């Protein structure tokens, strides 16, 4: 690839994807018990979900500034051209840290040509953007073409998801504690989406069947040409339910391209076990 692609672990793509496609991985940090881990690299998401079910509260932190400095400096020394697609700046400080460290590295390497894109996406919605970027980079698309396509996918990526318990998102400051309390009190399942990079609860439903039917309705309202795009489904250690909703989507939309993956340790620490998320484009072309 003439343009190097970088992404952080909040895209919830497996380590094998980074290794096989020569994509630079920037791991977020996961703190569990008395140990610190690099997301994807030194901790498996199953370990996080098991800990959550046992009552532990994992914590996360943004990628290390020193790691950014090391990666950016090496690229600059090698005269590499790159695009770093970052986790939503509304959900992590990683994007801001990357911007700060790029500015610092460019003091020594003013010609270093790296562009940092705030995806305003999360989990596999972010991952689908990274996959598209890698595909185009392998086809030797120009940097301008890549940036145009990346920004289009970021702007048009829909996120629809439900969590088993809003309490995890509340503890991490991702939703209000009032929303979490109400959802737990009434045993109501929330439906959330991402608006301008932020997590926003949009509806509440009683029962999984009603909730999934509503997701299908929203896909009809928001989506476009499901038979021509990859639909992402990520899950918090609940592959059975992920395949259940995949079957519903296949039946409703005649879709046949899916990418299913567990939600990684960093995102899963906040979303909790039992989360189900669906990602798709609401528009395929300009």
């Amino acid at each position: 690839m003439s343009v190097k692609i970088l992404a952080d672990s909040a895209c919830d793509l497996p380590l094998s994807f980074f290794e096989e496609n020569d994509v630079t991985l920037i791991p977020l940090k996961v703190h569990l018990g008395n140990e610190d881990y690099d997301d994807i690299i030194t901790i498996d998401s199953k370990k996080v979900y098991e800990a959550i079910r046992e009552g532990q509260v994992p914590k996360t932190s943004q990628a290390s500034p020193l790691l950014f400095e090391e990666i950016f400096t090496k690229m600059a020394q090698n005269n590499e051209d790159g695009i770093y697609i970052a986790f939503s700046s509304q959900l992590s400080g990683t994007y801001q840290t990357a911007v700060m460290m790029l500015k610092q590295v460019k003091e020594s390497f003013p010609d270093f040509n790296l562009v940092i894109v705030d995806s305003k996406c999360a989990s596999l919605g972010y991952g689908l953007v990274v996959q598209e970027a890698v595909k185009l980079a392998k086809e030797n698309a120009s940097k301008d073409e890549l940036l145009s396509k990346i920004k289009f996918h970021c702007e048009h990526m829909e996120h629809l998801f439900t969590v088993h318990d809003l309490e995890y998102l509340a503890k991490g400051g991702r939703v209000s504690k009032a929303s979490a309390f109400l959802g737990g009190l009434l045993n109501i399942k929330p439906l959330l989406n991402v608006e301008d990079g932020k997590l926003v609860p949009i509806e509440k439903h009683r029962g999984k069947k009603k909730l999934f039917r509503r997701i299908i309705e929203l896909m009809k309202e928001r989506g476009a040409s499901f038979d021509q795009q990859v639909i992402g489904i990520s899950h918090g250690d609940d592959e059975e339910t992920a395949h259940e909703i995949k079957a519903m989507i296949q039946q409703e939309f005649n879709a046949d391209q899916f990418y299913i993956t567990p939600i990684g340790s960093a995102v899963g620490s906040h979303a909790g076990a039992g989360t189900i998320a669906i990602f798709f484009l609401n528009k395929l072309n300009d």
Side-chain angles (χ1 to χ4, degrees), residues 181-240:
F181 176 73
L182 183 61
L185 186 68
L186 301 176
N187 194 27
I188 289 174
K189 299 301 180 191
L191 181 59
L192 303 91
N193 71 353
V194 171
E195 294 177 11
D196 196 33
K198 298 178 184 176
L199 301 185
V200 181
I202 51 174
E203 296 175 0
K204 293 168 184 162
H205 295 273
R206 198 181 289 275
K208 188 168 77 169
K209 286 185 178 179
K210 282 185 179 178
L211 180 66
F212 284 1
R213 281 199 297 268
R214 181 57 181 148
I215 288 173
I216 296 294
E217 287 175 4
L218 286 171
M219 289 181 73
K220 283 182 184 176
E221 292 173 13
R222 299 183 180 189
S225 306
F226 290 111
D227 59 338
Q228 297 174 37
Q229 62 169 295
V230 176
I231 298 168
I233 303 174
S234 62
H235 62 90
D237 198 26
D238 190 358
E239 190 170 355
E240 183 180 339

Side-chain angles (χ1 to χ4, degrees), residues 152-171:
F152 178 88
H153 273 65
C154 290
E155 288 169 7
H156 294 282
M157 186 63 66
E158 294 281 350
H159 304 58
L160 291 174
F161 66 104
T162 183
V163 296
H164 182 68
D165 188 344
L166 271 170
E167 186 63 28
Y168 301 114
L169 288 172
K171 284 177 179 175

Side-chain angles (χ1 to χ4, degrees), residues 34-192:
N34 296 317
E35 299 290 331
D36 289 343
Y37 300 92
D38 288 327
D39 187 18
I40 297 181
I41 299 172
T42 60
I43 189 168
D44 182 271
S45 60
K46 273 193 174 292
K47 183 171 182 175
V48 169
Y49 294 123
E50 286 167 5
I52 287 172
R53 289 182 179 116
E54 291 169 1
Q56 296 185 57
V57 183
K59 296 183 179 179
T60 62
S61 59
Q62 61 185 273
S64 158
L66 290 176
L67 178 61
F68 277 122
E69 183 180 27
E70 178 185 320
I71 290 170
F72 293 171
T73 299
K74 187 176 179 181
M75 287 181 67
Q77 289 171 338
N78 293 336
N79 199 30
E80 288 184 288
D81 202 353
I83 299 172
Y84 168 36
I85 309 167
F87 185 27
S88 172
S89 63
Q90 299 295 320
L91 299 173
S92 169
T94 298
Y95 167 78
Q96 287 90 345
T97 298
V99 170
M100 177 181 70
M101 297 315 295
L102 175 60
K103 185 177 180 182
Q104 186 170 309
V105 169
K106 288 189 83 163
E107 289 176 4
S108 301
F109 300 92
D111 295 328
F112 178 36
N113 196 0
L114 176 74
V115 176
I116 302 174
V117 177
D118 179 2
S119 72
K120 296 191 177 178
C121 294
S123 187
L124 191 53
Y126 167 21
L128 293 179
V129 175
V130 174
Q131 286 184 329
E132 181 66 16
V134 170
K135 177 186 165 190
L136 291 170
K138 284 184 172 181
E139 294 169 358
N140 288 317
S142 70
K143 192 168 187 179
D144 285 344
E145 288 173 324
L146 274 166
L147 286 169
S148 175
K149 203 70 171 178
I150 288 166
K151 289 174 181 176
F152 178 88
H153 273 65
C154 290
E155 288 169 7
H156 294 282
M157 186 63 66
E158 294 281 350
H159 304 58
L160 291 174
F161 66 104
T162 183
V163 296
H164 182 68
D165 188 344
L166 271 170
E167 186 63 28
Y168 301 114
L169 288 172
K171 284 177 179 175
R174 268 61 182 183
V175 298
S176 75
K177 285 184 167 51
S179 292
F181 176 73
L182 183 61
L185 186 68
L186 301 176
N187 194 27
I188 289 174
K189 299 301 180 191
L191 181 59
L192 303 91

